[in-house]
Amino acid sequence: MIEHNKQVAEELSKLLAESYTLYLKTHKYHWNVTGPMFHSLHLLFEQQYTELAEAVDTIAERIRALGWKAPGSYAEFAKLSTVGDATGDPDASGMIKELAADHRTVAERANRVLKLAGEHEDEGSGAVASDRIEIHEKSAWMLSAHLG
């Protein structure tokens, strides 16, 4: 296994941890959202956690393709993620603000993966990261649009 693969795999592991943590938080908020925006947010959160469920598989498989083990426990994810667990009982606006900020955080992580992959001429990891940037930036925008 090549050293640069390890560096990219380590950054992808952080992206995986942050994406999985965001998946869990989005799913929790899907179950618990209330208020006048319930229907639209319930559907939006479902779309977003469904997309994230597919994304974590893609990211983990990329780590494996580089020859490294993908993290897969809550303890590993907690250690690697800068996205925090859902705590407390925020209202719908609080959920939106938190998820939008988290999507921006994950987009920033994906951008770090993209830059590192570019330095190492790793087109596969770069493509994964580029896709994630676009999706997380759009998700943050869609969430923030609910706040007016």
PDB file of all heavy atoms in Angstrom, residues 103-138:
ATOM      1  N   HIS A 103     -23.839  20.312   6.956  1.00  0.00           N
ATOM      2  CA  HIS A 103     -23.600  20.062   5.526  1.00  0.00           C
ATOM      3  C   HIS A 103     -22.433  20.917   5.023  1.00  0.00           C
ATOM      4  O   HIS A 103     -21.612  20.433   4.240  1.00  0.00           O
ATOM      5  CB  HIS A 103     -24.862  20.321   4.694  1.00  0.00           C
ATOM      6  CG  HIS A 103     -25.795  19.163   4.659  1.00  0.00           C
ATOM      7  ND1 HIS A 103     -25.571  18.044   3.891  1.00  0.00           N
ATOM      8  CD2 HIS A 103     -26.965  18.943   5.312  1.00  0.00           C
ATOM      9  CE1 HIS A 103     -26.556  17.184   4.068  1.00  0.00           C
ATOM     10  NE2 HIS A 103     -27.409  17.700   4.923  1.00  0.00           N
ATOM     11  N   ARG A 104     -22.348  22.149   5.490  1.00  0.00           N
ATOM     12  CA  ARG A 104     -21.222  22.996   5.093  1.00  0.00           C
ATOM     13  C   ARG A 104     -19.905  22.427   5.632  1.00  0.00           C
ATOM     14  O   ARG A 104     -18.885  22.427   4.929  1.00  0.00           O
ATOM     15  CB  ARG A 104     -21.444  24.442   5.559  1.00  0.00           C
ATOM     16  CG  ARG A 104     -22.504  25.177   4.725  1.00  0.00           C
ATOM     17  CD  ARG A 104     -22.563  26.658   5.035  1.00  0.00           C
ATOM     18  NE  ARG A 104     -23.181  26.937   6.322  1.00  0.00           N
ATOM     19  CZ  ARG A 104     -24.496  27.052   6.518  1.00  0.00           C
ATOM     20  NH1 ARG A 104     -25.329  26.921   5.506  1.00  0.00           N
ATOM     21  NH2 ARG A 104     -24.958  27.299   7.724  1.00  0.00           N
ATOM     22  N   THR A 105     -19.923  21.911   6.843  1.00  0.00           N
ATOM     23  CA  THR A 105     -18.729  21.292   7.426  1.00  0.00           C
ATOM     24  C   THR A 105     -18.283  20.081   6.612  1.00  0.00           C
ATOM     25  O   THR A 105     -17.091  19.916   6.327  1.00  0.00           O
ATOM     26  CB  THR A 105     -19.012  20.862   8.889  1.00  0.00           C
ATOM     27  OG1 THR A 105     -19.272  22.041   9.663  1.00  0.00           O
ATOM     28  CG2 THR A 105     -17.849  20.093   9.495  1.00  0.00           C
ATOM     29  N   VAL A 106     -19.238  19.254   6.215  1.00  0.00           N
ATOM     30  CA  VAL A 106     -18.900  18.058   5.433  1.00  0.00           C
ATOM     31  C   VAL A 106     -18.407  18.457   4.042  1.00  0.00           C
ATOM     32  O   VAL A 106     -17.483  17.845   3.503  1.00  0.00           O
ATOM     33  CB  VAL A 106     -20.082  17.069   5.375  1.00  0.00           C
ATOM     34  CG1 VAL A 106     -19.725  15.842   4.547  1.00  0.00           C
ATOM     35  CG2 VAL A 106     -20.485  16.629   6.795  1.00  0.00           C
ATOM     36  N   ALA A 107     -18.985  19.495   3.469  1.00  0.00           N
ATOM     37  CA  ALA A 107     -18.500  19.981   2.171  1.00  0.00           C
ATOM     38  C   ALA A 107     -17.052  20.460   2.288  1.00  0.00           C
ATOM     39  O   ALA A 107     -16.239  20.211   1.388  1.00  0.00           O
ATOM     40  CB  ALA A 107     -19.392  21.115   1.659  1.00  0.00           C
ATOM     41  N   GLU A 108     -16.728  21.120   3.384  1.00  0.00           N
ATOM     42  CA  GLU A 108     -15.345  21.562   3.604  1.00  0.00           C
ATOM     43  C   GLU A 108     -14.402  20.367   3.715  1.00  0.00           C
ATOM     44  O   GLU A 108     -13.294  20.388   3.178  1.00  0.00           O
ATOM     45  CB  GLU A 108     -15.260  22.424   4.858  1.00  0.00           C
ATOM     46  CG  GLU A 108     -15.915  23.782   4.706  1.00  0.00           C
ATOM     47  CD  GLU A 108     -16.080  24.527   6.026  1.00  0.00           C
ATOM     48  OE1 GLU A 108     -15.527  24.073   7.060  1.00  0.00           O
ATOM     49  OE2 GLU A 108     -16.764  25.568   6.026  1.00  0.00           O
ATOM     50  N   ARG A 109     -14.837  19.317   4.415  1.00  0.00           N
ATOM     51  CA  ARG A 109     -14.011  18.110   4.527  1.00  0.00           C
ATOM     52  C   ARG A 109     -13.821  17.482   3.152  1.00  0.00           C
ATOM     53  O   ARG A 109     -12.715  17.065   2.789  1.00  0.00           O
ATOM     54  CB  ARG A 109     -14.663  17.106   5.476  1.00  0.00           C
ATOM     55  CG  ARG A 109     -13.964  15.745   5.516  1.00  0.00           C
ATOM     56  CD  ARG A 109     -12.648  15.781   6.223  1.00  0.00           C
ATOM     57  NE  ARG A 109     -12.876  16.160   7.602  1.00  0.00           N
ATOM     58  CZ  ARG A 109     -11.928  16.598   8.419  1.00  0.00           C
ATOM     59  NH1 ARG A 109     -10.681  16.699   8.000  1.00  0.00           N
ATOM     60  NH2 ARG A 109     -12.218  16.939   9.663  1.00  0.00           N
ATOM     61  N   ALA A 110     -14.885  17.408   2.376  1.00  0.00           N
ATOM     62  CA  ALA A 110     -14.786  16.837   1.031  1.00  0.00           C
ATOM     63  C   ALA A 110     -13.831  17.661   0.178  1.00  0.00           C
ATOM     64  O   ALA A 110     -13.087  17.111  -0.641  1.00  0.00           O
ATOM     65  CB  ALA A 110     -16.167  16.752   0.387  1.00  0.00           C
ATOM     66  N   ASN A 111     -13.818  18.973   0.381  1.00  0.00           N
ATOM     67  CA  ASN A 111     -12.883  19.827  -0.353  1.00  0.00           C
ATOM     68  C   ASN A 111     -11.437  19.509   0.027  1.00  0.00           C
ATOM     69  O   ASN A 111     -10.550  19.500  -0.828  1.00  0.00           O
ATOM     70  CB  ASN A 111     -13.205  21.301  -0.110  1.00  0.00           C
ATOM     71  CG  ASN A 111     -12.508  22.203  -1.097  1.00  0.00           C
ATOM     72  OD1 ASN A 111     -12.483  21.930  -2.292  1.00  0.00           O
ATOM     73  ND2 ASN A 111     -11.926  23.271  -0.595  1.00  0.00           N
ATOM     74  N   ARG A 112     -11.188  19.211   1.307  1.00  0.00           N
ATOM     75  CA  ARG A 112      -9.838  18.805   1.727  1.00  0.00           C
ATOM     76  C   ARG A 112      -9.446  17.492   1.062  1.00  0.00           C
ATOM     77  O   ARG A 112      -8.301  17.317   0.638  1.00  0.00           O
ATOM     78  CB  ARG A 112      -9.753  18.710   3.250  1.00  0.00           C
ATOM     79  CG  ARG A 112      -9.706  20.078   3.918  1.00  0.00           C
ATOM     80  CD  ARG A 112      -9.303  20.023   5.369  1.00  0.00           C
ATOM     81  NE  ARG A 112     -10.336  19.544   6.270  1.00  0.00           N
ATOM     82  CZ  ARG A 112     -11.347  20.260   6.733  1.00  0.00           C
ATOM     83  NH1 ARG A 112     -11.499  21.515   6.359  1.00  0.00           N
ATOM     84  NH2 ARG A 112     -12.212  19.740   7.563  1.00  0.00           N
ATOM     85  N   VAL A 113     -10.409  16.554   0.970  1.00  0.00           N
ATOM     86  CA  VAL A 113     -10.133  15.292   0.276  1.00  0.00           C
ATOM     87  C   VAL A 113      -9.803  15.572  -1.186  1.00  0.00           C
ATOM     88  O   VAL A 113      -8.842  15.012  -1.723  1.00  0.00           O
ATOM     89  CB  VAL A 113     -11.330  14.322   0.383  1.00  0.00           C
ATOM     90  CG1 VAL A 113     -11.125  13.095  -0.507  1.00  0.00           C
ATOM     91  CG2 VAL A 113     -11.568  13.892   1.825  1.00  0.00           C
ATOM     92  N   LEU A 114     -10.584  16.427  -1.821  1.00  0.00           N
ATOM     93  CA  LEU A 114     -10.372  16.758  -3.231  1.00  0.00           C
ATOM     94  C   LEU A 114      -8.973  17.324  -3.466  1.00  0.00           C
ATOM     95  O   LEU A 114      -8.276  16.901  -4.393  1.00  0.00           O
ATOM     96  CB  LEU A 114     -11.436  17.742  -3.704  1.00  0.00           C
ATOM     97  CG  LEU A 114     -11.353  18.198  -5.161  1.00  0.00           C
ATOM     98  CD1 LEU A 114     -11.556  17.033  -6.121  1.00  0.00           C
ATOM     99  CD2 LEU A 114     -12.384  19.295  -5.424  1.00  0.00           C
ATOM    100  N   LYS A 115      -8.565  18.251  -2.633  1.00  0.00           N
ATOM    101  CA  LYS A 115      -7.243  18.865  -2.786  1.00  0.00           C
ATOM    102  C   LYS A 115      -6.134  17.839  -2.573  1.00  0.00           C
ATOM    103  O   LYS A 115      -5.166  17.789  -3.341  1.00  0.00           O
ATOM    104  CB  LYS A 115      -7.094  20.040  -1.831  1.00  0.00           C
ATOM    105  CG  LYS A 115      -7.910  21.241  -2.247  1.00  0.00           C
ATOM    106  CD  LYS A 115      -7.783  22.383  -1.269  1.00  0.00           C
ATOM    107  CE  LYS A 115      -8.658  23.553  -1.729  1.00  0.00           C
ATOM    108  NZ  LYS A 115      -8.649  24.648  -0.794  1.00  0.00           N
ATOM    109  N   LEU A 116      -6.256  17.012  -1.538  1.00  0.00           N
ATOM    110  CA  LEU A 116      -5.240  15.995  -1.254  1.00  0.00           C
ATOM    111  C   LEU A 116      -5.183  14.962  -2.384  1.00  0.00           C
ATOM    112  O   LEU A 116      -4.105  14.575  -2.832  1.00  0.00           O
ATOM    113  CB  LEU A 116      -5.527  15.316   0.088  1.00  0.00           C
ATOM    114  CG  LEU A 116      -4.481  14.327   0.587  1.00  0.00           C
ATOM    115  CD1 LEU A 116      -3.129  14.998   0.775  1.00  0.00           C
ATOM    116  CD2 LEU A 116      -4.969  13.698   1.902  1.00  0.00           C
ATOM    117  N   ALA A 117      -6.349  14.552  -2.865  1.00  0.00           N
ATOM    118  CA  ALA A 117      -6.402  13.590  -3.973  1.00  0.00           C
ATOM    119  C   ALA A 117      -5.738  14.184  -5.217  1.00  0.00           C
ATOM    120  O   ALA A 117      -5.008  13.487  -5.940  1.00  0.00           O
ATOM    121  CB  ALA A 117      -7.844  13.191  -4.265  1.00  0.00           C
ATOM    122  N   GLY A 118      -5.966  15.468  -5.462  1.00  0.00           N
ATOM    123  CA  GLY A 118      -5.332  16.124  -6.598  1.00  0.00           C
ATOM    124  C   GLY A 118      -3.819  16.153  -6.493  1.00  0.00           C
ATOM    125  O   GLY A 118      -3.121  15.930  -7.480  1.00  0.00           O
ATOM    126  N   GLU A 119      -3.322  16.415  -5.284  1.00  0.00           N
ATOM    127  CA  GLU A 119      -1.875  16.425  -5.057  1.00  0.00           C
ATOM    128  C   GLU A 119      -1.248  15.064  -5.373  1.00  0.00           C
ATOM    129  O   GLU A 119      -0.091  14.999  -5.787  1.00  0.00           O
ATOM    130  CB  GLU A 119      -1.565  16.791  -3.608  1.00  0.00           C
ATOM    131  CG  GLU A 119      -1.847  18.223  -3.245  1.00  0.00           C
ATOM    132  CD  GLU A 119      -1.729  18.489  -1.749  1.00  0.00           C
ATOM    133  OE1 GLU A 119      -1.131  17.656  -1.023  1.00  0.00           O
ATOM    134  OE2 GLU A 119      -2.253  19.527  -1.292  1.00  0.00           O
ATOM    135  N   HIS A 120      -2.031  14.001  -5.166  1.00  0.00           N
ATOM    136  CA  HIS A 120      -1.519  12.643  -5.352  1.00  0.00           C
ATOM    137  C   HIS A 120      -2.022  11.992  -6.645  1.00  0.00           C
ATOM    138  O   HIS A 120      -1.879  10.781  -6.825  1.00  0.00           O
ATOM    139  CB  HIS A 120      -1.882  11.779  -4.146  1.00  0.00           C
ATOM    140  CG  HIS A 120      -1.231  12.246  -2.877  1.00  0.00           C
ATOM    141  ND1 HIS A 120       0.122  12.213  -2.683  1.00  0.00           N
ATOM    142  CD2 HIS A 120      -1.765  12.780  -1.752  1.00  0.00           C
ATOM    143  CE1 HIS A 120       0.407  12.692  -1.482  1.00  0.00           C
ATOM    144  NE2 HIS A 120      -0.718  13.053  -0.900  1.00  0.00           N
ATOM    145  N   GLU A 121      -2.627  12.814  -7.509  1.00  0.00           N
ATOM    146  CA  GLU A 121      -3.149  12.321  -8.791  1.00  0.00           C
ATOM    147  C   GLU A 121      -4.069  11.122  -8.611  1.00  0.00           C
ATOM    148  O   GLU A 121      -4.018  10.139  -9.344  1.00  0.00           O
ATOM    149  CB  GLU A 121      -1.999  12.007  -9.750  1.00  0.00           C
ATOM    150  CG  GLU A 121      -1.170  13.230 -10.074  1.00  0.00           C
ATOM    151  CD  GLU A 121      -0.017  12.947 -11.017  1.00  0.00           C
ATOM    152  OE1 GLU A 121       0.186  11.789 -11.430  1.00  0.00           O
ATOM    153  OE2 GLU A 121       0.700  13.922 -11.353  1.00  0.00           O
ATOM    154  N   ASP A 122      -4.944  11.219  -7.619  1.00  0.00           N
ATOM    155  CA  ASP A 122      -5.911  10.173  -7.282  1.00  0.00           C
ATOM    156  C   ASP A 122      -7.279  10.609  -7.795  1.00  0.00           C
ATOM    157  O   ASP A 122      -8.072  11.218  -7.078  1.00  0.00           O
ATOM    158  CB  ASP A 122      -5.908   9.953  -5.774  1.00  0.00           C
ATOM    159  CG  ASP A 122      -6.902   8.908  -5.301  1.00  0.00           C
ATOM    160  OD1 ASP A 122      -7.731   8.429  -6.110  1.00  0.00           O
ATOM    161  OD2 ASP A 122      -6.864   8.582  -4.097  1.00  0.00           O
ATOM    162  N   GLU A 123      -7.519  10.325  -9.073  1.00  0.00           N
ATOM    163  CA  GLU A 123      -8.761  10.761  -9.725  1.00  0.00           C
ATOM    164  C   GLU A 123     -10.011  10.147  -9.095  1.00  0.00           C
ATOM    165  O   GLU A 123     -11.050  10.793  -9.000  1.00  0.00           O
ATOM    166  CB  GLU A 123      -8.717  10.417 -11.221  1.00  0.00           C
ATOM    167  CG  GLU A 123      -7.625  11.137 -11.990  1.00  0.00           C
ATOM    168  CD  GLU A 123      -7.890  12.616 -12.134  1.00  0.00           C
ATOM    169  OE1 GLU A 123      -9.054  13.030 -12.195  1.00  0.00           O
ATOM    170  OE2 GLU A 123      -6.903  13.366 -12.181  1.00  0.00           O
ATOM    171  N   GLY A 124      -9.918   8.897  -8.672  1.00  0.00           N
ATOM    172  CA  GLY A 124     -11.083   8.217  -8.085  1.00  0.00           C
ATOM    173  C   GLY A 124     -11.551   8.892  -6.812  1.00  0.00           C
ATOM    174  O   GLY A 124     -12.746   9.177  -6.644  1.00  0.00           O
ATOM    175  N   SER A 125     -10.618   9.148  -5.902  1.00  0.00           N
ATOM    176  CA  SER A 125     -10.979   9.820  -4.648  1.00  0.00           C
ATOM    177  C   SER A 125     -11.418  11.249  -4.912  1.00  0.00           C
ATOM    178  O   SER A 125     -12.347  11.752  -4.266  1.00  0.00           O
ATOM    179  CB  SER A 125      -9.805   9.794  -3.670  1.00  0.00           C
ATOM    180  OG  SER A 125      -9.473   8.467  -3.324  1.00  0.00           O
ATOM    181  N   GLY A 126     -10.778  11.893  -5.880  1.00  0.00           N
ATOM    182  CA  GLY A 126     -11.176  13.247  -6.241  1.00  0.00           C
ATOM    183  C   GLY A 126     -12.604  13.307  -6.755  1.00  0.00           C
ATOM    184  O   GLY A 126     -13.348  14.228  -6.421  1.00  0.00           O
ATOM    185  N   ALA A 127     -12.979  12.320  -7.544  1.00  0.00           N
ATOM    186  CA  ALA A 127     -14.346  12.282  -8.075  1.00  0.00           C
ATOM    187  C   ALA A 127     -15.370  12.088  -6.956  1.00  0.00           C
ATOM    188  O   ALA A 127     -16.419  12.744  -6.947  1.00  0.00           O
ATOM    189  CB  ALA A 127     -14.475  11.173  -9.110  1.00  0.00           C
ATOM    190  N   VAL A 128     -15.063  11.207  -6.021  1.00  0.00           N
ATOM    191  CA  VAL A 128     -15.963  11.001  -4.876  1.00  0.00           C
ATOM    192  C   VAL A 128     -16.116  12.310  -4.106  1.00  0.00           C
ATOM    193  O   VAL A 128     -17.229  12.729  -3.778  1.00  0.00           O
ATOM    194  CB  VAL A 128     -15.434   9.871  -3.950  1.00  0.00           C
ATOM    195  CG1 VAL A 128     -16.216   9.829  -2.635  1.00  0.00           C
ATOM    196  CG2 VAL A 128     -15.505   8.522  -4.654  1.00  0.00           C
ATOM    197  N   ALA A 129     -14.989  12.960  -3.828  1.00  0.00           N
ATOM    198  CA  ALA A 129     -15.017  14.208  -3.066  1.00  0.00           C
ATOM    199  C   ALA A 129     -15.770  15.309  -3.805  1.00  0.00           C
ATOM    200  O   ALA A 129     -16.569  16.037  -3.209  1.00  0.00           O
ATOM    201  CB  ALA A 129     -13.591  14.652  -2.755  1.00  0.00           C
ATOM    202  N   SER A 130     -15.542  15.432  -5.095  1.00  0.00           N
ATOM    203  CA  SER A 130     -16.214  16.454  -5.894  1.00  0.00           C
ATOM    204  C   SER A 130     -17.726  16.270  -5.856  1.00  0.00           C
ATOM    205  O   SER A 130     -18.478  17.241  -5.676  1.00  0.00           O
ATOM    206  CB  SER A 130     -15.699  16.404  -7.327  1.00  0.00           C
ATOM    207  OG  SER A 130     -16.323  17.385  -8.108  1.00  0.00           O
ATOM    208  N   ASP A 131     -18.179  15.038  -6.000  1.00  0.00           N
ATOM    209  CA  ASP A 131     -19.617  14.749  -5.917  1.00  0.00           C
ATOM    210  C   ASP A 131     -20.182  15.153  -4.560  1.00  0.00           C
ATOM    211  O   ASP A 131     -21.265  15.723  -4.471  1.00  0.00           O
ATOM    212  CB  ASP A 131     -19.888  13.266  -6.157  1.00  0.00           C
ATOM    213  CG  ASP A 131     -19.684  12.844  -7.594  1.00  0.00           C
ATOM    214  OD1 ASP A 131     -19.571  13.713  -8.487  1.00  0.00           O
ATOM    215  OD2 ASP A 131     -19.623  11.614  -7.835  1.00  0.00           O
ATOM    216  N   ARG A 132     -19.428  14.849  -3.496  1.00  0.00           N
ATOM    217  CA  ARG A 132     -19.893  15.156  -2.141  1.00  0.00           C
ATOM    218  C   ARG A 132     -19.979  16.664  -1.921  1.00  0.00           C
ATOM    219  O   ARG A 132     -20.923  17.145  -1.292  1.00  0.00           O
ATOM    220  CB  ARG A 132     -18.984  14.519  -1.081  1.00  0.00           C
ATOM    221  CG  ARG A 132     -18.877  13.006  -1.102  1.00  0.00           C
ATOM    222  CD  ARG A 132     -20.190  12.262  -1.198  1.00  0.00           C
ATOM    223  NE  ARG A 132     -21.164  12.717  -0.233  1.00  0.00           N
ATOM    224  CZ  ARG A 132     -22.491  12.666  -0.423  1.00  0.00           C
ATOM    225  NH1 ARG A 132     -22.995  12.163  -1.524  1.00  0.00           N
ATOM    226  NH2 ARG A 132     -23.311  13.106   0.506  1.00  0.00           N
ATOM    227  N   ILE A 133     -19.029  17.414  -2.431  1.00  0.00           N
ATOM    228  CA  ILE A 133     -19.062  18.866  -2.278  1.00  0.00           C
ATOM    229  C   ILE A 133     -20.351  19.420  -2.871  1.00  0.00           C
ATOM    230  O   ILE A 133     -21.074  20.188  -2.229  1.00  0.00           O
ATOM    231  CB  ILE A 133     -17.836  19.531  -2.936  1.00  0.00           C
ATOM    232  CG1 ILE A 133     -16.558  19.153  -2.198  1.00  0.00           C
ATOM    233  CG2 ILE A 133     -18.008  21.052  -3.003  1.00  0.00           C
ATOM    234  CD1 ILE A 133     -15.283  19.468  -2.975  1.00  0.00           C
ATOM    235  N   GLU A 134     -20.635  19.038  -4.094  1.00  0.00           N
ATOM    236  CA  GLU A 134     -21.837  19.542  -4.778  1.00  0.00           C
ATOM    237  C   GLU A 134     -23.105  19.194  -4.002  1.00  0.00           C
ATOM    238  O   GLU A 134     -23.981  20.041  -3.805  1.00  0.00           O
ATOM    239  CB  GLU A 134     -21.901  18.966  -6.192  1.00  0.00           C
ATOM    240  CG  GLU A 134     -23.089  19.461  -6.980  1.00  0.00           C
ATOM    241  CD  GLU A 134     -23.148  18.892  -8.388  1.00  0.00           C
ATOM    242  OE1 GLU A 134     -22.238  18.159  -8.794  1.00  0.00           O
ATOM    243  OE2 GLU A 134     -24.136  19.198  -9.074  1.00  0.00           O
ATOM    244  N   ILE A 135     -23.202  17.966  -3.545  1.00  0.00           N
ATOM    245  CA  ILE A 135     -24.408  17.520  -2.838  1.00  0.00           C
ATOM    246  C   ILE A 135     -24.567  18.241  -1.502  1.00  0.00           C
ATOM    247  O   ILE A 135     -25.665  18.691  -1.154  1.00  0.00           O
ATOM    248  CB  ILE A 135     -24.382  15.989  -2.665  1.00  0.00           C
ATOM    249  CG1 ILE A 135     -24.612  15.323  -4.022  1.00  0.00           C
ATOM    250  CG2 ILE A 135     -25.416  15.528  -1.629  1.00  0.00           C
ATOM    251  CD1 ILE A 135     -24.250  13.859  -4.080  1.00  0.00           C
ATOM    252  N   HIS A 136     -23.478  18.384  -0.738  1.00  0.00           N
ATOM    253  CA  HIS A 136     -23.590  19.027   0.575  1.00  0.00           C
ATOM    254  C   HIS A 136     -23.851  20.522   0.461  1.00  0.00           C
ATOM    255  O   HIS A 136     -24.613  21.071   1.267  1.00  0.00           O
ATOM    256  CB  HIS A 136     -22.358  18.726   1.430  1.00  0.00           C
ATOM    257  CG  HIS A 136     -22.322  17.308   1.878  1.00  0.00           C
ATOM    258  ND1 HIS A 136     -23.207  16.788   2.800  1.00  0.00           N
ATOM    259  CD2 HIS A 136     -21.528  16.279   1.510  1.00  0.00           C
ATOM    260  CE1 HIS A 136     -22.959  15.520   2.989  1.00  0.00           C
ATOM    261  NE2 HIS A 136     -21.944  15.177   2.209  1.00  0.00           N
ATOM    262  N   GLU A 137     -23.264  21.161  -0.524  1.00  0.00           N
ATOM    263  CA  GLU A 137     -23.546  22.583  -0.716  1.00  0.00           C
ATOM    264  C   GLU A 137     -25.009  22.798  -1.111  1.00  0.00           C
ATOM    265  O   GLU A 137     -25.664  23.712  -0.622  1.00  0.00           O
ATOM    266  CB  GLU A 137     -22.606  23.186  -1.748  1.00  0.00           C
ATOM    267  CG  GLU A 137     -21.187  23.347  -1.216  1.00  0.00           C
ATOM    268  CD  GLU A 137     -20.203  23.878  -2.237  1.00  0.00           C
ATOM    269  OE1 GLU A 137     -20.527  23.927  -3.452  1.00  0.00           O
ATOM    270  OE2 GLU A 137     -19.086  24.241  -1.826  1.00  0.00           O
ATOM    271  N   LYS A 138     -25.525  21.938  -1.965  1.00  0.00           N
ATOM    272  CA  LYS A 138     -26.935  22.038  -2.361  1.00  0.00           C
ATOM    273  C   LYS A 138     -27.846  21.741  -1.173  1.00  0.00           C
ATOM    274  O   LYS A 138     -28.853  22.423  -0.970  1.00  0.00           O
ATOM    275  CB  LYS A 138     -27.230  21.071  -3.513  1.00  0.00           C
ATOM    276  CG  LYS A 138     -28.659  21.157  -4.006  1.00  0.00           C
ATOM    277  CD  LYS A 138     -28.899  20.249  -5.201  1.00  0.00           C
ATOM    278  CE  LYS A 138     -30.333  20.339  -5.675  1.00  0.00           C
ATOM    279  NZ  LYS A 138     -30.590  19.449  -6.822  1.00  0.00           N
TER     280      LYS A 138
END
